């Protein structure tokens, strides 16, 4: 940790010395919002050559490709300057799994890039997410704030949409024929929540672009796929087994919109509570892990109060 801290401080100073005043100002603004700007490099480097006779495995080349590694090798070395090489034995590598974590990296197609600082605070979760589930018939639409919209165009039966996103971003369900007018009237207002700032804010916000997806229902308890809406979250779609679904998803121009199959949490629909009367929504229900944690915290708090008394 000491070597890592020392290297990061050195890399930061070297990066800042090469920036113009305008870039330095932008760097300062991003740092206040928790962004990390610059090239990180690596503190330790695996000595691949010493193990070449035993096993041919380089996680960097698998992740990025040999050509990228070769081009960036020299730049990386000047920033990292590792003083220690780590030799991994055959036994250490044969059952190895490699995880690449990139916290705070700014993506090119990211809805957060379109939001103000206050809006980002609403979209980025600060507490454990509790899924919100809704049942929609063909001809209905679901709004995730004014950041995204999913239209249920065709299908034989109703299907379930489980929203995994910050609970501070409102969900609004309406009919397909009213969806456009709802967006025009309420985008930037309280009903849809994010973005905020009324008509003036929406004038500079990119318009929606749409993409259609065809899914096949996998049963009442298993989602067919996730519709990802960049960093705003995703919606798991669950349909009756064999039911063919045609969906149209909308997102601001330049923001990521894609289909993830198989879904990340295939049984997320089972976390819904009872159906709310005369509503398309279900009561939210915390996952058991969150319930156990909450009970443990309350129990510990009561014990502490009792001891103080």
């Amino acid at each position: 940790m000491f070597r890592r801290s020392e290297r990061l401080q050195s890399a930061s100073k070297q990066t800042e010395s090469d920036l113009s005043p305008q870039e330095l100002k932008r760097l300062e603004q991003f740092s206040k919002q928790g962004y990390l700007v610059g090239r990180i490099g690596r503190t330790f480097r695996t000595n691949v050559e010493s193990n070449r006779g035993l096993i041919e495995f380089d996680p960097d080349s698998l992740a990025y490709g040999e050509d990228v590694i070769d081009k960036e090798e020299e730049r990386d070395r000047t920033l990292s300057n590792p003083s220690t090489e780590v030799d991994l034995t055959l036994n250490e590598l044969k059952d190895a799994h490699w995880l690449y974590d990139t916290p705070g990296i700014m993506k090119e197609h990211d809805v957060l890039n379109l939001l103000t600082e206050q809006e980002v605070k609403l979209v980025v979760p600060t507490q454990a997410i509790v899924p919100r589930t809704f049942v929609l018939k063909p001809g209905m639409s679901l709004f995730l704030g004014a950041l995204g919209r999913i239209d249920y165009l065709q299908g034989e039966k109703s299907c379930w949409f489980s929203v995994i996103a910050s609970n501070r971003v409102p969900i609004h369900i309406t009919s397909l024929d009213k969806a456009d007018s709802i967006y025009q009237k309420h985008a930037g207002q309280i009903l849809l929540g994010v973005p905020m700032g009324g008509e003036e804010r929406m004038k500079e916000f990119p318009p929606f672009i749409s993409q259609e997806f065809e899914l096949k229902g996998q049963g009442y308890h298993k989602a067919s796929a996730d519709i990802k809406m960049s960093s705003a979250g995703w919606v798991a779609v669950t349909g009756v087994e064999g039911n063919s679904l045609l969906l149209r998803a909308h997102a601001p121009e330049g923001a990521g919109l894609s289909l993830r199959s198989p879904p990340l949490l295939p049984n997320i629909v089972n976390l819904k509570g009872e159906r709310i009367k005369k509503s398309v929504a279900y009561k939210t229900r915390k996952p058991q892990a969150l319930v156990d944690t909450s009970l443990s915290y309350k129990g510990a708090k009561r014990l502490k109060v009792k001891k103080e008394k």
Side-chain angles (χ1 to χ4, degrees):
M1 291 300 293
F2 173 77
R3 287 177 182 163
R4 182 175 181 273
S5 177
E6 190 179 48
R7 176 182 62 79
L8 289 175
Q9 290 177 7
S10 174
S12 177
K13 290 177 181 177
Q14 182 174 347
T15 301
E16 291 181 11
S17 64
D18 298 332
L19 297 177
S20 66
Q22 292 82 1
E23 291 173 323
L24 282 172
K25 185 176 180 180
R26 180 170 175 267
L27 177 62
E28 183 181 354
Q29 291 174 340
F30 277 129
S31 63
K32 290 179 180 178
Q33 300 177 22
Y35 289 103
L36 181 63
V37 181
R39 184 174 177 80
I40 302 304
R42 285 173 288 180
T43 306
F44 299 99
R45 187 181 303 279
T46 305
N47 186 358
V48 181
E49 293 296 331
S50 62
N51 292 322
R52 194 167 294 281
L54 296 175
I55 188 167
E56 296 278 349
F57 183 81
D58 182 0
D60 288 332
S61 64
L62 291 178
Y64 303 110
E66 293 285 356
D67 55 335
V68 177
I69 294 299
D70 291 341
K71 291 176 183 177
E72 297 189 348
E73 189 75 25
E74 189 144 343
R75 263 193 314 166
D76 191 37
R77 192 180 294 117
T78 59
L79 289 176
S80 301
N81 193 22
S83 57
T84 303
E85 289 187 341
V86 181
D87 291 331
L88 301 178
T89 66
L90 175 62
N91 287 334
E92 291 172 323
L93 282 173
K94 67 178 183 179
D95 297 318
H97 299 276
W98 301 87
L99 170 67
Y100 289 87
D101 186 19
T102 57
I105 299 301
M106 297 178 66
K107 299 180 292 184
E108 182 180 356
H109 300 293
D110 193 335
V111 72
L112 296 184
N113 295 338
L114 307 174
L115 304 180
T116 64
E117 183 176 351
Q118 189 63 34
E119 291 164 353
V120 168
K121 290 179 180 179
L122 295 175
V123 174
V124 176
T126 56
Q127 296 179 339
I129 295 174
V130 177
R132 291 170 283 176
T133 298
F134 306 85
V135 58
L136 273 66
K137 296 179 180 179
M140 299 182 73
S141 298
L142 178 148
F143 279 96
L144 177 60
L147 300 175
R149 166 183 148 194
I150 301 177
D151 302 331
Y152 185 7
L153 300 179
Q154 294 177 15
E156 298 172 6
K157 298 181 180 180
S158 300
C159 64
W160 293 264
F161 292 75
S162 299
V163 180
I164 296 86
S166 170
N167 294 330
R168 290 174 293 180
V169 179
I171 306 299
H172 182 73
I173 309 297
T174 187
S175 60
L176 182 58
D177 57 347
K178 294 181 180 178
D180 289 336
S181 61
I182 290 287
Y183 182 82
Q184 293 296 328
K185 183 178 180 180
H186 294 284
Q189 309 294 340
I190 295 177
L191 181 68
L192 298 181
V194 184
M196 59 177 70
E199 293 182 7
E200 290 300 318
R201 174 71 177 98
M202 297 311 297
K203 284 180 182 178
E204 60 185 29
F205 198 71
F208 275 171
I209 56 173
S210 62
Q211 186 175 349
E212 291 190 357
F213 300 108
E214 294 184 7
L215 305 177
K216 183 75 74 173
Q218 301 296 319
Y220 290 102
H221 303 291
K222 186 177 181 181
S224 301
D226 295 332
I227 296 180
K228 298 193 297 178
M229 295 183 175
S230 183
S231 295
W234 74 87
V235 179
V237 182
T238 304
V240 177
E241 187 172 1
N243 187 19
S244 297
L245 311 173
L246 177 61
L247 308 174
R248 180 188 295 130
H250 308 255
E253 185 177 1
L257 184 66
S258 61
L259 189 72
R260 177 168 55 204
S261 181
L264 183 62
L265 301 171
N267 305 115
I268 193 71
V269 71
N270 297 320
L271 287 178
K272 69 181 186 298
E274 296 179 359
R275 175 82 174 268
I276 299 174
K277 290 183 179 180
K278 299 180 180 180
S279 170
V280 297
Y282 290 80
K283 293 180 180 179
T284 57
R285 193 174 69 184
K286 288 185 177 181
Q288 191 59 41
L290 292 182
V291 175
D292 294 341
T293 302
S294 178
L295 292 176
S296 300
Y297 172 75
K298 290 178 180 178
K301 192 173 181 180
R302 283 197 297 266
L303 183 62
K304 181 180 178 182
V305 172
K306 190 175 181 180
K307 286 182 177 179
E308 289 176 351
K309 288 181 178 179

